[in-house]
Amino acid sequence: MKPVVGIVVSNKMQKSVVVAVDRLFHHKMYNRYVKRTSKFMAHDETEDCNIGDRVKLDPSRPLSKRKHWVVAEILRRAKVYSPSAAAAAVSAQPGATVQQAEAASKS
Amino acid sequence: MSRDPLVVGHVVGDILDPFNKSASLKVLYNNKELTNGSELKPSQVANEPRIEIAGRDIRNLYTLVMVDPDSPSPSNPTKREYLHWLVTDIPESANASYGNEVVSYESPKPTAGIHRFVFILFRQYVQQTIYAPGWRPNFNTRDFSALYNLGPPVAAVFFNCQRENGCGGRRYIR
């Protein structure tokens, strides 16, 4: 079975996340590839997932009304901008401004 | 990735060790055959099911165990496994009613969450006396199998069941 991989779009629930899984299929009439998104609720026991993380899902028994997937592993962490990192960059370079440091941290 | 319903449903792992299926077990509630992972209501499973073991040799005997690994709730299963039914000396090609009912059938009444109810079939190598456990909660299928030298299970089937009159919905007040 093809592994189910998607992006975490919500982690507001306790031990549950919503994962958006994209798929491409070929449209016969238009002869184009069309993207469709499915959203699955998945169980995150460790509450380790953040929005934007790329995760792999495993099928599971029904855990609740809409939840029958489990987060198997986090494949890639989301790059989260934190002001503290920008401030640290400013202190490291005395001549740099906050705007320059923020631009450097984003790039 | 394994698509075996017993593995996906964590029956293998929570209750059983991996095994090779070597017998055909049919569980029929109201003349409807049970499939792995199917959803049944408590009212549908109130009476004991009909058990059919395929085969022709009535000298082959089997032991059937029905347990709930999610008692009292799946998130905190402190009573895992709850014993619902235990029948021994079931002859091959016959119904469970021909066997020796050691622990009577207790109909599933899940209070919280979605519960799994698992039927596990063991092959008996000899006709032996199996004693009823002192209590239904905290039964252990692995220990039971080891105690009576039953070996690994030969077949297993499970279904999901949850409270029928759940929360939500409009309440009609006179």
Side-chain angles (χ1 to χ4, degrees), chain A residues 1 57-62 64, chain B residues 1 3 8-9 70 114 116 160:
Chain A
M1 184 189 166
L57 302 181
D58 274 353
S60 164
R61 66 191 183 85
S64 69
Chain B
M1 192 191 301
R3 294 297 291 154
V8 172
D70 298 315
I114 302 171
R116 294 164 291 172
N160 293 316

